[in-house]
């Protein structure tokens, strides 16, 4: 059974720092992995999707990597800003069906 | 595109009442998903549709929950009768290609059952 873990549960860093959020999964047979952000009281915004055949995806200051063999993905945020404060979730789609398996999220706070 | 649209954004009702949540997916998307989010259980997939046909409803908690998709641009999630433990945020998401599978979420409906 696929399980997705995000550590740490919360992270607070000063503005301007580069940071890495972690996502690990137990079964390497994934179809793709998606990173989302969720602002308080809001919906989920898709940030990046990495197919199983890809190693990384980039969008602006965000870079997501995928290492299937080790069951890990990282989301790198460069030059963090207070507007980056949100909860970041990763979700894995398994080969067997369309269901996304979700991590519990990392709550990120960027201090001005 | 306006993105996934959900209504209402907030719903407060009393136990035993019927609740209907609505969703309009992104035009052209052929997959539609209903999720529920709570602090205790996180995000849970309730049901998803492909081309208006329910594919997997194994996440629907009880017979009190039902979902329909009468056409490609509209879906409903109904709870009858509602109970306090149904209080949660309900999200609708849509996706355009099975093999890409990127899901786009609506803003959610915050349901409170008193």
């Amino acid at each position: 059974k696929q399980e997705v873990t995000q550590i740490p549960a919360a992270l607070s860093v000063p503005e301007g720092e580069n940071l890495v959020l972690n996502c690990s999964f137990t079964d390497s047979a994934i179809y793709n992995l998606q990173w989302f952000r969720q602002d308080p009281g809001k919906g989920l915004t898709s940030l990046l999707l990495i197919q199983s055949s890809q190693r990384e995806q980039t969008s602006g200051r965000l870079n997501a990597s995928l290492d299937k063999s080790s069951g890990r993905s990282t989301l790198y945020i460069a030059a963090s800003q207070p507007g980056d404060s949100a909860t970041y979730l990763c979700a894995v789609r398994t080969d067997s069906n369309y269901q996304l398996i979700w991590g519990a999220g990392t709550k990120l706070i960027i201090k001005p | 595109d306006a993105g996934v649209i959900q209504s209402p954004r907030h719903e407060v009702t009393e136990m035993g009442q019927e609740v209907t949540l609505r969703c309009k997916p992104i035009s052209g998307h052929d997959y539609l998903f209903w999720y529920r989010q709570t602090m205790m259980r996180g995000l849970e997939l309730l049901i998803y549709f492909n081309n208006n046909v329910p594919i997997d409803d194994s996440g629907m908690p009880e017979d009190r929950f039902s979902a329909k998709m009468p056409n490609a641009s509209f879906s409903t999630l109904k709870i009858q009768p509602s109970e306090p433990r149904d209080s949660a945020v309900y999200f609708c998401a849509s996706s355009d290609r099975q093999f890409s599978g990127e899901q786009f979420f609506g803003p959610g409906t915050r349901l409170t059952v008193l």
Side-chain angles (χ1 to χ4, degrees), chain A residues 35-85:
Chain A
W35 282 94
F36 296 86
R37 70 173 278 169
Q38 185 173 27
D39 295 280
K42 301 289 182 60
L44 284 80
T45 301
S46 176
L47 297 174
L48 290 164
L49 179 142
I50 310 178
Q51 302 292 353
S52 63
S53 59
Q54 298 175 320
R55 298 284 293 181
E56 64 179 316
Q57 283 284 343
T58 298
S59 175
R61 295 183 294 109
L62 305 179
N63 176 277
S65 68
L66 176 64
D67 184 343
K68 280 177 50 178
S69 61
S70 65
R72 291 189 60 196
S73 176
T74 61
L75 180 66
Y76 175 83
I77 302 176
S80 59
Q81 303 170 359
D84 295 329
S85 298

Side-chain angles (χ1 to χ4, degrees), chain B residues 30-69:
Chain B
D30 54 355
Y31 281 82
L32 183 140
F33 306 83
W34 282 101
Y35 290 90
R36 178 172 67 176
Q37 186 178 39
T38 61
M39 289 293 292
M40 290 294 294
R41 300 173 67 93
L43 271 160
E44 302 173 278
L45 177 65
L46 300 177
I47 185 172
Y48 77 89
F49 295 82
N50 177 220
N51 291 323
N52 313 337
V53 176
I55 302 301
D56 186 349
D57 65 354
S58 60
M60 296 286 262
E62 300 172 32
D63 291 345
R64 298 184 296 106
F65 286 68
S66 62
K68 294 182 180 179
M69 193 165 185

Side-chain angles (χ1 to χ4, degrees), chain A residues 2-4 15 18-19 23 26-27 37 41 43 46 48 59 63 67 70 94 104 106-107:
Chain A
Q2 180 73 271
E3 294 182 357
V4 179
E15 179 179 4
N18 303 324
L19 60 97
C23 173
T26 54
D27 186 345
R37 70 173 278 169
S46 176
L48 290 164
S59 175
N63 176 277
D67 184 343
S70 65
T94 63
T106 295
K107 183 175 182 179

Side-chain angles (χ1 to χ4, degrees), chain B residues 95-106:
Chain B
S95 178
D96 63 346
R97 297 192 305 274
Q98 179 177 5
F99 296 102
S100 167
E102 185 171 7
Q103 295 188 18
F104 297 88
F105 280 69

